[in-house]
Amino acid sequence: GYTKIEKINTKKRCAMNKQQAKERIKELREKTEYYAKKYYDDDNPEISDFEYDMLMVELRNLEKEYP
């Protein structure tokens, strides 16, 4: 399932290899799509705007780092 709070673990990210990054990117895409649907389509947000923004920042950073 999806947790209410997602924290960025920088130590884990620094030690990430390409495959781990690919898996985390996939996970973040699924989560952000889910949360966006809950917010926009269902009018029933499950996380704060700040938490969503932090997921998007992590996703963008990983996509930039591991294209």
Side-chain angles (χ1 to χ4, degrees):
Y2 296 97
T3 60
K4 292 256 181 197
I5 297 174
E6 296 280 334
K7 292 185 179 179
I8 298 172
N9 185 336
T10 52
K11 286 182 186 173
K12 190 179 201 177
R13 234 186 72 194
C14 291
M16 212 176 258
N17 66 32
K18 203 170 211 169
Q19 182 58 35
Q20 291 168 320
K22 184 179 175 184
E23 290 168 9
R24 181 63 178 156
I25 288 169
K26 181 180 183 290
E27 177 187 8
L28 288 167
R29 284 180 182 155
E30 290 171 357
K31 286 183 177 190
T32 55
E33 287 172 17
Y34 171 82
Y35 290 133
K37 182 186 181 316
K38 294 299 284 182
Y39 184 89
Y40 292 107
D41 298 342
D42 302 342
D43 195 24
N44 186 23
E46 290 189 5
I47 62 173
S48 71
D49 290 351
F50 177 78
E51 291 168 314
Y52 181 83
D53 291 345
M54 291 297 96
L55 292 175
M56 290 303 294
V57 166
E58 182 182 0
L59 177 57
R60 280 194 299 268
N61 288 339
L62 281 171
E63 287 174 332
K64 193 184 309 178
E65 215 174 314
Y66 298 93

